[in-house]
Amino acid sequence: MKTIKFKFNERKAVQVAGRLIAQCGGEMNYLALIKLLYLIDREALLRFGRPVTGDAVVAMKQGPVLSAIFDRVSQKKQHLPKSAWHNFIPRPAPYVYTVRFSGVPDQSALSEAEVALVDEIYAKHRNLSEEALVALTHKLPEWSDPGKSSKLIPFEAILRAGKKGQNEIEAIQREAAADDFLDRALAAV
């Protein structure tokens, strides 16, 4: 069986982050944002068979994170080129640990179910500090401490941790592979 892969959708990532930041009054701790985005993608994978953002998941010292989103937010990765994300969520200045959303959050790429899920996860965890969110994600069965580096957390591991059976995991893999094939075919046109 091939490894499950999804295509990162930066537009959806920006829209989910924008909705979360708006619900926090326009500014949010970046570690809390990263943790909530992971929890949203994790729950979407378990409920819908696909994450909202499609971002790869990695285990880091502070728990699981969405890889491409982490790179866009991380102060340690300021040397990376700016992306569409930064048009709406500027990089934090050195020693500033909050992010802001500039503009009005758009939700046009998100389904009603995805918007409802974002709101549900935010409502469930909005009173947790970033440290409490880190502690929560450390308890998730798919995470193990990678030490001073990071390591990929396969989507299959998240699905198994969420008590999905092998047949369901294989069905999700086939659908993800079909989506990838269609994306590549359309890009070649």
Side-chain angles (χ1 to χ4, degrees):
M1 181 172 87
K2 288 185 178 180
T3 302
I4 297 173
K5 293 183 182 176
F6 297 98
K7 183 178 178 185
F8 175 56
N9 187 324
E10 188 172 26
R11 182 174 175 217
K12 280 186 158 189
V14 168
Q15 290 182 10
V16 173
R19 187 164 183 90
L20 290 169
I21 295 167
Q23 290 179 5
C24 277
E27 186 172 1
M28 183 176 201
N29 175 279
Y30 77 85
L31 185 55
L33 174 65
I34 289 170
K35 293 295 157 193
L36 289 173
L37 287 167
Y38 174 69
L39 292 170
I40 289 164
D41 261 13
R42 181 184 196 273
E43 189 61 29
L45 177 64
L46 295 174
R47 283 188 197 179
F48 312 137
R50 65 181 323 100
V52 177
T53 72
D55 201 352
V57 180
V58 294
M60 298 185 77
K61 190 77 174 161
Q62 297 293 324
V65 298
L66 302 175
S67 181
I69 292 172
F70 177 79
D71 289 347
R72 284 158 174 77
V73 175
S74 175
Q75 292 186 357
K76 294 177 183 175
K77 306 235 177 181
Q78 294 284 342
H79 64 283
L80 294 177
K82 288 189 175 186
S83 70
W85 172 279
H86 298 109
N87 293 335
F88 297 98
I89 306 168
R91 290 181 170 151
Y95 306 107
V96 174
Y97 297 98
T98 60
V99 290
R100 292 185 176 158
F101 191 85
S102 63
V104 177
D106 174 23
Q107 254 90 98
S108 62
L110 302 173
S111 70
E112 288 181 21
E114 290 169 333
V115 170
L117 179 61
V118 170
D119 292 348
E120 176 188 332
I121 297 295
Y122 176 76
K124 183 176 181 181
H125 302 293
R126 72 174 169 223
N127 294 322
L128 296 180
S129 68
E130 57 273 9
E131 292 87 7
L133 287 166
V134 167
L136 172 72
T137 61
H138 277 176
K139 293 176 186 170
L140 295 172
E142 65 268 19
W143 181 80
S144 62
D145 190 344
K148 294 183 179 184
S149 65
S150 64
K151 67 178 179 180
L152 184 69
I153 299 175
F155 290 109
E156 294 85 349
I158 298 167
L159 291 164
R160 281 192 294 279
K163 310 289 189 232
K164 300 297 180 187
Q166 189 60 32
N167 289 341
E168 193 170 358
I169 293 171
E170 288 174 6
I172 290 168
Q173 186 279 327
R174 285 190 300 274
E175 189 171 322
D179 288 347
D180 179 57
F181 176 79
L182 184 59
D183 284 344
R184 285 186 287 115
L186 290 173
V189 174

